[in-house]
């Protein structure tokens, strides 16, 4: 069931990042964001100070120890790692002692505890929406024994497992221990042989459901260095496009200047036969600028009108990546442009895709991250 929940949660919480982000930094949310309310049932086992030396079973599921209860908590995550919750419990608990033996009486107790929390999953793995998260918490509070009408200070320590079913709803499995004063169960230590300094203890686990309130989650802080580097690559790709257009323009002027009279048809034909370049960012096979497809479309129209075959040749820069990786990258880049040609109406049978791997033909290096479209 948990695996099925994880699959559903992953689909429900999927996000598409529009820019590079930092792993361990997020944008701070408002006060009313990332609150939660949890409710559940708890299984509680009691270990009394007065049982020391009696040789009783330590098994927490022994009927002489275990009992049940309910809990409710309200809290807020201030960051993906640190949070705080106020947890209240109402339990039936058991006096484990030598007087009553197996007929240990139960007593009612209510507790309220403030518990700081640390999300270990986000602490060590960086923040991102996940199905399963593990948090460590500790806290202090008070417990009221309604049977004896007495108060006891308590200390809590536990591990909370959270499965995010959707962005708004989750389920919890909480494993915890609690230490109180030695008369927390209403019975103090009866003799020195039973160690006056020993405390009453509770251990248990709880299972429940919860709902997240306000805005859920955090936005990852943008990686400005990566964004600036990406912009530089895009600028280099744009400069490469401009250089290609300038070269084509110079070639056209030269052909027009040397064209014979009545050679208009020849000039248009030769212009349509020139190549067009499409540029890519480093390690990417997505086209950096759709403006590069303007000249590609002209070639596509000419090829369709004249039943020509188009050859798309992909390249990568040899300065980065291995030869085997660059070969595959160049093929992916060529295929990306070929797919655009198909969208323009070119029959796939009239397109040849070639990958030339990593090259260092052009300067700057970014100009080598390209695909060249030509007519066969």
């Amino acid at each position: 069931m948990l695996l099925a929940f994880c699959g559903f949660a992953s689909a429900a919480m999927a996000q598409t990042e529009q820019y590079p982000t930092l792993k361990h930094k997020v944008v701070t949310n408002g006060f009313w964001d990332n609150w939660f309310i949890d409710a559940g049932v708890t299984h509680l086992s009691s270990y009394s100070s007065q049982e020391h030396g009696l040789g009783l079973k330590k098994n927490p599921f022994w009927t002489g120890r275990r009992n049940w209860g309910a809990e409710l908590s309200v809290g807020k995550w201030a960051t993906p790692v640190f949070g705080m919750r106020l947890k209240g419990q109402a339990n039936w608990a058991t006096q484990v002692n030598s007087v009553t033996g197996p007929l240990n009486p139960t007593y009612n107790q209510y507790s309220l505890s403030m518990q700081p929390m640390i999300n270990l999953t986000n602490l060590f793995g960086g923040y991102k929406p996940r199905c399963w998260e593990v948090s460590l918490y500790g806290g202090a509070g008070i417990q009221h024994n309604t049977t004896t009408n007495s108060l006891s200070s308590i200390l809590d320590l536990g591990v909370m497992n959270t499965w995010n079913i959707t962005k708004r709803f989750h389920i919890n499995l909480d494993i915890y221990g609690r230490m109180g004063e030695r008369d927390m169960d209403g019975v103090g230590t009866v003799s020195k042989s039973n160690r006056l300094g020993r405390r009453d203890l509770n251990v248990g686990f709880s299972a429940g459901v919860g709902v997240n309130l306000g805005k859920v989650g955090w936005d990852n802080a943008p990686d400005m260095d990566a964004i600036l580097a990406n912009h530089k690559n895009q600028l280099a790709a744009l400069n490469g496009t401009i250089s290609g257009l300038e070269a084509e323009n110079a070639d056209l002027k030269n052909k027009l200047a040397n064209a014979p009279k009545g050679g208009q048809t020849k000039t248009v034909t030769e212009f349509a036969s020139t190549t067009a370049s499409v540029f890519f960012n480093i390690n990417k096979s997505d086209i950096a600028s759709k403006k590069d497809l303007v000249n590609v479309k002209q070639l596509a129209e000419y090829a369709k009108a004249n039943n020509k075959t188009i050859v798309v040749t992909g390249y990568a820069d040899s300065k980065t990546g291995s030869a085997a990786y660059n070969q595959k990258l160049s093929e992916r880049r060529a295929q990306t442009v070929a797919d655009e040609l198909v969208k323009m109406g070119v029959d796939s049978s009239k397109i040849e895709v070639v990958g030339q791997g990593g090259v260092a033909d052009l300067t700057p290096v970014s100009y080598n991250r390209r695909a060249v479209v030509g007519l066969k």
Side-chain angles (χ1 to χ4, degrees):
M1 290 178 62
L2 291 176
L3 288 174
F5 285 146
C6 284
F8 177 73
S10 298
M13 296 186 294
Q15 296 180 350
T16 301
E17 293 184 349
Q18 301 299 321
Y19 48 82
T21 58
L22 297 171
K23 183 177 181 181
H24 290 282
K25 290 186 179 181
V26 296
V27 179
T28 303
N29 279 354
F31 175 79
W32 297 109
D33 299 329
N34 291 300
W35 284 83
F36 61 88
I37 298 177
D38 294 335
V41 295
T42 180
H43 177 280
L44 185 76
S45 299
S46 302
Y47 293 82
S48 300
S49 59
Q50 65 270 15
E51 73 172 86
H52 179 72
L54 301 180
L56 301 178
K57 297 179 181 179
K58 302 301 182 182
N59 186 347
F61 297 101
W62 175 48
T63 55
R65 297 187 184 280
R66 61 185 176 87
N67 233 306
W68 298 90
E71 65 180 30
L72 179 69
S73 61
V74 179
K76 171 181 170 60
W77 288 103
T79 73
V81 174
F82 298 103
M84 181 78 72
R85 72 176 178 179
L86 182 65
K87 182 177 181 179
Q89 280 188 327
N91 301 101
W92 294 282
T94 303
Q95 291 179 357
V96 184
N97 56 63
S98 60
V99 178
T100 58
L103 301 176
N104 296 342
T106 60
Y107 62 95
N108 298 328
Q109 63 180 18
Y110 297 91
S111 64
L112 193 64
S113 178
M114 184 65 72
Q115 299 173 343
M117 303 177 295
I118 299 177
N119 188 310
L120 300 178
T121 306
N122 289 336
L123 175 64
F124 295 107
Y127 169 71
K128 66 178 180 179
R130 292 182 173 90
C131 175
W132 179 32
E133 297 178 334
V134 178
S135 301
L136 178 68
Y137 67 87
I142 57 174
Q143 184 163 288
H144 181 212
N145 186 326
T146 60
T147 303
T148 60
N149 195 27
S150 60
L151 288 176
S152 172
S153 59
I154 56 174
L155 296 176
D156 290 329
L157 183 65
V159 176
M160 179 173 64
N161 295 270
T162 302
W163 287 271
N164 298 299
I165 308 307
T166 68
K167 193 173 183 179
R168 190 64 62 183
F169 298 100
H170 57 266
I171 60 176
N172 293 328
L173 176 62
D174 197 346
I175 303 171
Y176 64 91
R178 174 179 299 153
M179 180 175 68
E181 298 176 29
R182 61 178 179 267
D183 58 350
M184 182 174 69
D185 61 355
V187 180
T189 306
V190 296
S191 69
K192 291 183 179 181
S193 63
N194 285 335
R195 295 186 184 179
L196 290 171
R198 293 185 65 85
R199 302 279 181 161
D200 287 340
L201 301 175
N202 296 148
V203 296
F205 66 88
S206 60
V209 297
V211 60
N212 300 316
L213 306 176
K215 180 181 177 181
V216 180
W218 286 264
D219 296 325
N220 289 93
D223 187 341
M224 297 307 300
D225 291 337
I227 292 174
L228 290 175
N230 185 53
H231 286 172
K232 289 180 180 179
N233 287 332
Q234 291 179 339
L235 181 60
L238 181 59
N239 289 333
T241 302
I242 293 173
S243 298
L245 293 174
E246 289 176 346
E248 291 175 2
N249 187 48
D251 182 60
L252 176 59
K253 288 181 178 179
N254 181 61
K255 290 175 180 177
L256 288 173
N258 296 287
K261 293 182 180 181
Q264 289 291 333
T265 302
K266 179 180 179 182
T267 300
V268 173
T269 300
E270 291 179 349
F271 171 67
S273 300
T274 59
T275 60
S277 296
V278 178
F279 292 88
F280 299 84
N281 292 325
I282 185 170
N283 197 31
K284 300 293 184 181
S285 58
D286 298 327
I287 297 172
S289 174
K290 294 295 184 179
K291 294 179 180 179
D292 291 351
L293 297 178
V294 173
N295 291 334
V296 174
K297 187 172 180 62
Q298 293 178 351
L299 284 171
E301 294 298 329
Y302 177 82
K304 288 190 293 181
N306 295 273
N307 196 30
K308 295 287 187 179
T309 297
I310 298 178
V311 180
V312 185
T313 307
Y315 300 89
D317 73 88
S318 59
K319 298 294 184 181
T320 57
S322 64
Y325 181 81
N326 284 334
Q327 178 62 39
K328 293 181 180 179
L329 180 59
S330 67
E331 292 171 0
R332 291 201 303 271
R333 287 172 173 170
Q335 187 59 52
T336 296
V337 177
D339 292 341
E340 293 293 335
L341 287 167
V342 172
K343 294 178 184 178
M344 296 174 185
V346 180
D347 193 296
S348 59
S349 64
K350 304 296 288 184
I351 303 174
E352 294 183 6
V353 177
V354 180
Q356 291 291 346
V359 297
D361 301 335
L362 304 177
T363 301
V365 174
S366 58
Y367 288 4
N368 296 299
R369 303 164 193 151
R370 69 191 193 279
V372 177
V373 182
L375 299 178
K376 187 173 181 179

